[in-house]
Amino acid sequence: MIKTGKIYVRIFGGLGNQMFQYACGRALALRTGSEIVLDTRDFVAGPGQRPGLHHLNIVNAKVPDRDLPPSKKQKLRYLLWRGLGLPPKFVRQNGAAFDPQIIGLPADVWLHGYWQSERFFADFKEEIRKELSVKTEPDETNARLFDEIMITPAASLHIRRGDYVSDPKANAVHGICSLAYYENAASLIARTMGQEPVFYVFSDEPGWVADNLRLPYEMRIVSHNGAKNYEDLRLMSACRHHVVANSSFSWWGAWLNPSPEKLVVAPARWFADPSAHNPDIVPEDWVRLEG
């Protein structure tokens, strides 16, 4: 039997998407005095992506599978749950933009969506920032690099390629940021800092970056973490300023930096496909440049 007083959240996609899903659900749980339950049973993601929230300081109420709503693999039970409107109430995101109805939902709902806007959790920023910080201890290399970043005029710069380039469907939806975007963003950060910045560059294709990105500032390409993307997340958030790609991962790398003095530069066009437009994905205090 499904218990009440819980917010169930379907978790899927890359780590950045998982973090948005957690943040929306956790904020709703805090508003309603409920527990959050992360449902990863039918996890789906792109190549190389896997559940990663366990590396962060998340809250997650563990419940037996029998207390979760039926998955699509349980065809008859799933149809009865959806068809009869049984609890928890199924809530699917309608469109990419912020929906004020979501933050007013009661407890005992099952959320399915991307929820890519801080407006879904803006009233609990401090709690979300703490809970989505990395808890897994860094290895020696990353601990040394973290300490280096902390004493350096460091700015993170993220270049997302991967399936955005290789998959025609992903490319049509997302597109990629141009080299001119990164050059202009780096120049803006340098002017704002009033000193020579050091850009720590993160990418899923560091070799391409080394061959193609040319900035008139020192660049240090971070290429050693591979599948340990949570390590890159921690390093990115330790930088003073940020240049993000049209990527939820670098969005979080910038957002997790709590400094009110940070400058975050984001692409003006987040999606190549106009039908996927999300007017609420970039926070109001970030600077948007043509990408």
Side-chain angles (χ1 to χ4, degrees), residues 60-86:
N60 181 20
K62 301 293 185 180
V63 300
D65 281 357
R66 66 177 180 272
D67 287 343
L68 293 171
S71 73
K72 286 188 175 181
K73 296 176 182 178
Q74 303 165 298
K75 293 183 179 179
L76 180 57
R77 290 187 60 217
Y78 181 83
L79 289 173
L80 288 172
W81 170 50
R82 294 290 306 277
L84 297 177
L86 300 175

PDB file of all heavy atoms in Angstrom, residues 60-86:
ATOM      1  N   ASN A  60      17.370  10.974   1.233  1.00  0.00           N
ATOM      2  CA  ASN A  60      16.569  10.036   0.446  1.00  0.00           C
ATOM      3  C   ASN A  60      15.956   9.002   1.378  1.00  0.00           C
ATOM      4  O   ASN A  60      16.667   8.186   1.955  1.00  0.00           O
ATOM      5  CB  ASN A  60      17.429   9.348  -0.611  1.00  0.00           C
ATOM      6  CG  ASN A  60      16.636   8.380  -1.471  1.00  0.00           C
ATOM      7  OD1 ASN A  60      15.409   8.456  -1.559  1.00  0.00           O
ATOM      8  ND2 ASN A  60      17.332   7.459  -2.129  1.00  0.00           N
ATOM      9  N   ALA A  61      14.652   9.047   1.535  1.00  0.00           N
ATOM     10  CA  ALA A  61      13.966   8.066   2.376  1.00  0.00           C
ATOM     11  C   ALA A  61      13.910   6.736   1.633  1.00  0.00           C
ATOM     12  O   ALA A  61      13.392   6.659   0.521  1.00  0.00           O
ATOM     13  CB  ALA A  61      12.560   8.547   2.709  1.00  0.00           C
ATOM     14  N   LYS A  62      14.450   5.708   2.226  1.00  0.00           N
ATOM     15  CA  LYS A  62      14.433   4.388   1.608  1.00  0.00           C
ATOM     16  C   LYS A  62      13.098   3.711   1.904  1.00  0.00           C
ATOM     17  O   LYS A  62      12.661   3.649   3.056  1.00  0.00           O
ATOM     18  CB  LYS A  62      15.573   3.534   2.153  1.00  0.00           C
ATOM     19  CG  LYS A  62      16.962   4.119   1.919  1.00  0.00           C
ATOM     20  CD  LYS A  62      17.326   4.139   0.446  1.00  0.00           C
ATOM     21  CE  LYS A  62      18.756   4.613   0.228  1.00  0.00           C
ATOM     22  NZ  LYS A  62      19.124   4.647  -1.199  1.00  0.00           N
ATOM     23  N   VAL A  63      12.465   3.221   0.866  1.00  0.00           N
ATOM     24  CA  VAL A  63      11.204   2.495   1.044  1.00  0.00           C
ATOM     25  C   VAL A  63      11.279   1.201   0.251  1.00  0.00           C
ATOM     26  O   VAL A  63      11.968   1.122  -0.771  1.00  0.00           O
ATOM     27  CB  VAL A  63       9.984   3.331   0.578  1.00  0.00           C
ATOM     28  CG1 VAL A  63       9.878   4.627   1.358  1.00  0.00           C
ATOM     29  CG2 VAL A  63      10.049   3.622  -0.911  1.00  0.00           C
ATOM     30  N   PRO A  64      10.569   0.171   0.692  1.00  0.00           N
ATOM     31  CA  PRO A  64      10.538  -1.081  -0.074  1.00  0.00           C
ATOM     32  C   PRO A  64       9.882  -0.856  -1.437  1.00  0.00           C
ATOM     33  O   PRO A  64       9.034   0.028  -1.601  1.00  0.00           O
ATOM     34  CB  PRO A  64       9.684  -2.014   0.795  1.00  0.00           C
ATOM     35  CG  PRO A  64       9.635  -1.379   2.149  1.00  0.00           C
ATOM     36  CD  PRO A  64       9.787   0.088   1.930  1.00  0.00           C
ATOM     37  N   ASP A  65      10.272  -1.646  -2.409  1.00  0.00           N
ATOM     38  CA  ASP A  65       9.695  -1.500  -3.747  1.00  0.00           C
ATOM     39  C   ASP A  65       8.175  -1.618  -3.725  1.00  0.00           C
ATOM     40  O   ASP A  65       7.481  -0.997  -4.533  1.00  0.00           O
ATOM     41  CB  ASP A  65      10.274  -2.556  -4.688  1.00  0.00           C
ATOM     42  CG  ASP A  65      11.669  -2.180  -5.183  1.00  0.00           C
ATOM     43  OD1 ASP A  65      12.142  -1.081  -4.838  1.00  0.00           O
ATOM     44  OD2 ASP A  65      12.279  -2.989  -5.909  1.00  0.00           O
ATOM     45  N   ARG A  66       7.659  -2.396  -2.795  1.00  0.00           N
ATOM     46  CA  ARG A  66       6.197  -2.565  -2.754  1.00  0.00           C
ATOM     47  C   ARG A  66       5.484  -1.266  -2.369  1.00  0.00           C
ATOM     48  O   ARG A  66       4.284  -1.124  -2.602  1.00  0.00           O
ATOM     49  CB  ARG A  66       5.824  -3.664  -1.768  1.00  0.00           C
ATOM     50  CG  ARG A  66       6.140  -3.350  -0.306  1.00  0.00           C
ATOM     51  CD  ARG A  66       5.674  -4.447   0.635  1.00  0.00           C
ATOM     52  NE  ARG A  66       5.980  -4.131   2.018  1.00  0.00           N
ATOM     53  CZ  ARG A  66       7.119  -4.432   2.618  1.00  0.00           C
ATOM     54  NH1 ARG A  66       8.082  -5.055   1.922  1.00  0.00           N
ATOM     55  NH2 ARG A  66       7.327  -4.119   3.887  1.00  0.00           N
ATOM     56  N   ASP A  67       6.218  -0.321  -1.775  1.00  0.00           N
ATOM     57  CA  ASP A  67       5.614   0.954  -1.403  1.00  0.00           C
ATOM     58  C   ASP A  67       5.790   2.021  -2.482  1.00  0.00           C
ATOM     59  O   ASP A  67       5.355   3.156  -2.302  1.00  0.00           O
ATOM     60  CB  ASP A  67       6.212   1.466  -0.089  1.00  0.00           C
ATOM     61  CG  ASP A  67       5.724   0.673   1.116  1.00  0.00           C
ATOM     62  OD1 ASP A  67       4.710  -0.038   0.976  1.00  0.00           O
ATOM     63  OD2 ASP A  67       6.346   0.767   2.185  1.00  0.00           O
ATOM     64  N   LEU A  68       6.431   1.651  -3.583  1.00  0.00           N
ATOM     65  CA  LEU A  68       6.560   2.559  -4.716  1.00  0.00           C
ATOM     66  C   LEU A  68       5.409   2.320  -5.686  1.00  0.00           C
ATOM     67  O   LEU A  68       4.855   1.219  -5.737  1.00  0.00           O
ATOM     68  CB  LEU A  68       7.888   2.323  -5.433  1.00  0.00           C
ATOM     69  CG  LEU A  68       9.169   2.670  -4.666  1.00  0.00           C
ATOM     70  CD1 LEU A  68      10.382   2.161  -5.428  1.00  0.00           C
ATOM     71  CD2 LEU A  68       9.275   4.171  -4.451  1.00  0.00           C
ATOM     72  N   PRO A  69       5.045   3.328  -6.463  1.00  0.00           N
ATOM     73  CA  PRO A  69       4.032   3.082  -7.497  1.00  0.00           C
ATOM     74  C   PRO A  69       4.573   2.082  -8.508  1.00  0.00           C
ATOM     75  O   PRO A  69       5.791   1.955  -8.670  1.00  0.00           O
ATOM     76  CB  PRO A  69       3.818   4.462  -8.118  1.00  0.00           C
ATOM     77  CG  PRO A  69       5.059   5.215  -7.825  1.00  0.00           C
ATOM     78  CD  PRO A  69       5.548   4.716  -6.498  1.00  0.00           C
ATOM     79  N   PRO A  70       3.719   1.367  -9.190  1.00  0.00           N
ATOM     80  CA  PRO A  70       4.188   0.360 -10.151  1.00  0.00           C
ATOM     81  C   PRO A  70       4.963   0.987 -11.289  1.00  0.00           C
ATOM     82  O   PRO A  70       4.667   2.104 -11.727  1.00  0.00           O
ATOM     83  CB  PRO A  70       2.897  -0.294 -10.647  1.00  0.00           C
ATOM     84  CG  PRO A  70       1.821   0.695 -10.350  1.00  0.00           C
ATOM     85  CD  PRO A  70       2.243   1.421  -9.117  1.00  0.00           C
ATOM     86  N   SER A  71       5.983   0.285 -11.762  1.00  0.00           N
ATOM     87  CA  SER A  71       6.739   0.747 -12.916  1.00  0.00           C
ATOM     88  C   SER A  71       6.059   0.257 -14.196  1.00  0.00           C
ATOM     89  O   SER A  71       5.146  -0.573 -14.160  1.00  0.00           O
ATOM     90  CB  SER A  71       8.170   0.214 -12.864  1.00  0.00           C
ATOM     91  OG  SER A  71       8.199  -1.169 -13.168  1.00  0.00           O
ATOM     92  N   LYS A  72       6.524   0.769 -15.326  1.00  0.00           N
ATOM     93  CA  LYS A  72       5.939   0.363 -16.603  1.00  0.00           C
ATOM     94  C   LYS A  72       6.142  -1.116 -16.888  1.00  0.00           C
ATOM     95  O   LYS A  72       5.415  -1.714 -17.690  1.00  0.00           O
ATOM     96  CB  LYS A  72       6.522   1.206 -17.737  1.00  0.00           C
ATOM     97  CG  LYS A  72       5.996   2.631 -17.789  1.00  0.00           C
ATOM     98  CD  LYS A  72       6.470   3.351 -19.038  1.00  0.00           C
ATOM     99  CE  LYS A  72       5.843   4.731 -19.148  1.00  0.00           C
ATOM    100  NZ  LYS A  72       6.277   5.449 -20.367  1.00  0.00           N
ATOM    101  N   LYS A  73       7.132  -1.719 -16.231  1.00  0.00           N
ATOM    102  CA  LYS A  73       7.358  -3.148 -16.415  1.00  0.00           C
ATOM    103  C   LYS A  73       6.228  -3.971 -15.804  1.00  0.00           C
ATOM    104  O   LYS A  73       6.008  -5.115 -16.196  1.00  0.00           O
ATOM    105  CB  LYS A  73       8.701  -3.542 -15.797  1.00  0.00           C
ATOM    106  CG  LYS A  73       9.904  -2.892 -16.471  1.00  0.00           C
ATOM    107  CD  LYS A  73      11.186  -3.250 -15.762  1.00  0.00           C
ATOM    108  CE  LYS A  73      12.379  -2.557 -16.412  1.00  0.00           C
ATOM    109  NZ  LYS A  73      13.653  -2.848 -15.701  1.00  0.00           N
ATOM    110  N   GLN A  74       5.536  -3.392 -14.831  1.00  0.00           N
ATOM    111  CA  GLN A  74       4.368  -4.044 -14.212  1.00  0.00           C
ATOM    112  C   GLN A  74       3.123  -3.512 -14.924  1.00  0.00           C
ATOM    113  O   GLN A  74       2.379  -2.708 -14.387  1.00  0.00           O
ATOM    114  CB  GLN A  74       4.341  -3.732 -12.722  1.00  0.00           C
ATOM    115  CG  GLN A  74       5.607  -4.150 -11.983  1.00  0.00           C
ATOM    116  CD  GLN A  74       5.710  -3.518 -10.595  1.00  0.00           C
ATOM    117  OE1 GLN A  74       5.776  -2.300 -10.473  1.00  0.00           O
ATOM    118  NE2 GLN A  74       5.695  -4.353  -9.571  1.00  0.00           N
ATOM    119  N   LYS A  75       2.904  -3.966 -16.142  1.00  0.00           N
ATOM    120  CA  LYS A  75       1.972  -3.320 -17.061  1.00  0.00           C
ATOM    121  C   LYS A  75       0.573  -3.155 -16.488  1.00  0.00           C
ATOM    122  O   LYS A  75      -0.012  -2.063 -16.544  1.00  0.00           O
ATOM    123  CB  LYS A  75       1.920  -4.105 -18.370  1.00  0.00           C
ATOM    124  CG  LYS A  75       3.229  -4.050 -19.152  1.00  0.00           C
ATOM    125  CD  LYS A  75       3.107  -4.775 -20.476  1.00  0.00           C
ATOM    126  CE  LYS A  75       4.403  -4.701 -21.261  1.00  0.00           C
ATOM    127  NZ  LYS A  75       4.312  -5.437 -22.551  1.00  0.00           N
ATOM    128  N   LEU A  76      -0.022  -4.210 -15.942  1.00  0.00           N
ATOM    129  CA  LEU A  76      -1.396  -4.123 -15.460  1.00  0.00           C
ATOM    130  C   LEU A  76      -1.494  -3.182 -14.263  1.00  0.00           C
ATOM    131  O   LEU A  76      -2.374  -2.301 -14.218  1.00  0.00           O
ATOM    132  CB  LEU A  76      -1.916  -5.511 -15.087  1.00  0.00           C
ATOM    133  CG  LEU A  76      -3.360  -5.555 -14.557  1.00  0.00           C
ATOM    134  CD1 LEU A  76      -4.316  -4.955 -15.578  1.00  0.00           C
ATOM    135  CD2 LEU A  76      -3.763  -6.985 -14.215  1.00  0.00           C
ATOM    136  N   ARG A  77      -0.606  -3.345 -13.295  1.00  0.00           N
ATOM    137  CA  ARG A  77      -0.631  -2.488 -12.108  1.00  0.00           C
ATOM    138  C   ARG A  77      -0.385  -1.028 -12.497  1.00  0.00           C
ATOM    139  O   ARG A  77      -0.987  -0.115 -11.932  1.00  0.00           O
ATOM    140  CB  ARG A  77       0.411  -2.944 -11.090  1.00  0.00           C
ATOM    141  CG  ARG A  77       0.099  -4.264 -10.403  1.00  0.00           C
ATOM    142  CD  ARG A  77       1.095  -4.535  -9.290  1.00  0.00           C
ATOM    143  NE  ARG A  77       1.051  -3.482  -8.286  1.00  0.00           N
ATOM    144  CZ  ARG A  77       2.131  -3.019  -7.648  1.00  0.00           C
ATOM    145  NH1 ARG A  77       3.329  -3.505  -7.924  1.00  0.00           N
ATOM    146  NH2 ARG A  77       2.013  -2.069  -6.745  1.00  0.00           N
ATOM    147  N   TYR A  78       0.524  -0.821 -13.461  1.00  0.00           N
ATOM    148  CA  TYR A  78       0.821   0.539 -13.916  1.00  0.00           C
ATOM    149  C   TYR A  78      -0.416   1.176 -14.546  1.00  0.00           C
ATOM    150  O   TYR A  78      -0.754   2.332 -14.255  1.00  0.00           O
ATOM    151  CB  TYR A  78       1.983   0.512 -14.907  1.00  0.00           C
ATOM    152  CG  TYR A  78       2.382   1.872 -15.420  1.00  0.00           C
ATOM    153  CD1 TYR A  78       3.242   2.688 -14.687  1.00  0.00           C
ATOM    154  CD2 TYR A  78       1.898   2.360 -16.641  1.00  0.00           C
ATOM    155  CE1 TYR A  78       3.611   3.943 -15.145  1.00  0.00           C
ATOM    156  CE2 TYR A  78       2.262   3.610 -17.106  1.00  0.00           C
ATOM    157  CZ  TYR A  78       3.122   4.403 -16.361  1.00  0.00           C
ATOM    158  OH  TYR A  78       3.473   5.641 -16.819  1.00  0.00           O
ATOM    159  N   LEU A  79      -1.114   0.440 -15.385  1.00  0.00           N
ATOM    160  CA  LEU A  79      -2.308   0.966 -16.034  1.00  0.00           C
ATOM    161  C   LEU A  79      -3.398   1.277 -15.020  1.00  0.00           C
ATOM    162  O   LEU A  79      -4.119   2.281 -15.142  1.00  0.00           O
ATOM    163  CB  LEU A  79      -2.811  -0.031 -17.080  1.00  0.00           C
ATOM    164  CG  LEU A  79      -1.940  -0.176 -18.336  1.00  0.00           C
ATOM    165  CD1 LEU A  79      -2.443  -1.318 -19.207  1.00  0.00           C
ATOM    166  CD2 LEU A  79      -1.905   1.126 -19.124  1.00  0.00           C
ATOM    167  N   LEU A  80      -3.537   0.428 -13.996  1.00  0.00           N
ATOM    168  CA  LEU A  80      -4.535   0.672 -12.962  1.00  0.00           C
ATOM    169  C   LEU A  80      -4.180   1.922 -12.152  1.00  0.00           C
ATOM    170  O   LEU A  80      -5.046   2.742 -11.836  1.00  0.00           O
ATOM    171  CB  LEU A  80      -4.651  -0.550 -12.041  1.00  0.00           C
ATOM    172  CG  LEU A  80      -5.323  -1.781 -12.643  1.00  0.00           C
ATOM    173  CD1 LEU A  80      -5.191  -2.965 -11.694  1.00  0.00           C
ATOM    174  CD2 LEU A  80      -6.792  -1.501 -12.933  1.00  0.00           C
ATOM    175  N   TRP A  81      -2.910   2.053 -11.822  1.00  0.00           N
ATOM    176  CA  TRP A  81      -2.461   3.237 -11.067  1.00  0.00           C
ATOM    177  C   TRP A  81      -2.750   4.520 -11.831  1.00  0.00           C
ATOM    178  O   TRP A  81      -3.353   5.458 -11.306  1.00  0.00           O
ATOM    179  CB  TRP A  81      -0.961   3.119 -10.771  1.00  0.00           C
ATOM    180  CG  TRP A  81      -0.330   4.356 -10.210  1.00  0.00           C
ATOM    181  CD1 TRP A  81      -0.760   5.103  -9.153  1.00  0.00           C
ATOM    182  CD2 TRP A  81       0.875   5.000 -10.687  1.00  0.00           C
ATOM    183  NE1 TRP A  81       0.089   6.164  -8.938  1.00  0.00           N
ATOM    184  CE2 TRP A  81       1.094   6.128  -9.855  1.00  0.00           C
ATOM    185  CE3 TRP A  81       1.772   4.719 -11.712  1.00  0.00           C
ATOM    186  CZ2 TRP A  81       2.183   6.976 -10.038  1.00  0.00           C
ATOM    187  CZ3 TRP A  81       2.863   5.560 -11.886  1.00  0.00           C
ATOM    188  CH2 TRP A  81       3.067   6.679 -11.062  1.00  0.00           C
ATOM    189  N   ARG A  82      -2.356   4.549 -13.100  1.00  0.00           N
ATOM    190  CA  ARG A  82      -2.573   5.741 -13.899  1.00  0.00           C
ATOM    191  C   ARG A  82      -4.057   5.943 -14.224  1.00  0.00           C
ATOM    192  O   ARG A  82      -4.587   7.051 -14.134  1.00  0.00           O
ATOM    193  CB  ARG A  82      -1.768   5.650 -15.209  1.00  0.00           C
ATOM    194  CG  ARG A  82      -0.250   5.660 -15.040  1.00  0.00           C
ATOM    195  CD  ARG A  82       0.262   7.026 -14.593  1.00  0.00           C
ATOM    196  NE  ARG A  82      -0.185   8.084 -15.479  1.00  0.00           N
ATOM    197  CZ  ARG A  82       0.411   8.403 -16.628  1.00  0.00           C
ATOM    198  NH1 ARG A  82       1.484   7.733 -17.027  1.00  0.00           N
ATOM    199  NH2 ARG A  82      -0.051   9.392 -17.364  1.00  0.00           N
ATOM    200  N   GLY A  83      -4.724   4.865 -14.615  1.00  0.00           N
ATOM    201  CA  GLY A  83      -6.107   4.980 -15.049  1.00  0.00           C
ATOM    202  C   GLY A  83      -7.070   5.347 -13.941  1.00  0.00           C
ATOM    203  O   GLY A  83      -8.020   6.117 -14.151  1.00  0.00           O
ATOM    204  N   LEU A  84      -6.828   4.822 -12.732  1.00  0.00           N
ATOM    205  CA  LEU A  84      -7.723   5.086 -11.606  1.00  0.00           C
ATOM    206  C   LEU A  84      -7.274   6.283 -10.770  1.00  0.00           C
ATOM    207  O   LEU A  84      -7.963   6.669  -9.821  1.00  0.00           O
ATOM    208  CB  LEU A  84      -7.827   3.837 -10.719  1.00  0.00           C
ATOM    209  CG  LEU A  84      -8.429   2.594 -11.389  1.00  0.00           C
ATOM    210  CD1 LEU A  84      -8.395   1.405 -10.424  1.00  0.00           C
ATOM    211  CD2 LEU A  84      -9.849   2.860 -11.865  1.00  0.00           C
ATOM    212  N   GLY A  85      -6.127   6.851 -11.116  1.00  0.00           N
ATOM    213  CA  GLY A  85      -5.637   8.001 -10.346  1.00  0.00           C
ATOM    214  C   GLY A  85      -5.289   7.655  -8.915  1.00  0.00           C
ATOM    215  O   GLY A  85      -5.511   8.458  -8.001  1.00  0.00           O
ATOM    216  N   LEU A  86      -4.721   6.455  -8.721  1.00  0.00           N
ATOM    217  CA  LEU A  86      -4.373   6.019  -7.369  1.00  0.00           C
ATOM    218  C   LEU A  86      -3.167   6.807  -6.851  1.00  0.00           C
ATOM    219  O   LEU A  86      -2.354   7.301  -7.630  1.00  0.00           O
ATOM    220  CB  LEU A  86      -4.061   4.522  -7.375  1.00  0.00           C
ATOM    221  CG  LEU A  86      -5.190   3.596  -7.845  1.00  0.00           C
ATOM    222  CD1 LEU A  86      -4.695   2.155  -7.924  1.00  0.00           C
ATOM    223  CD2 LEU A  86      -6.394   3.701  -6.910  1.00  0.00           C
TER     224      LEU A  86
END
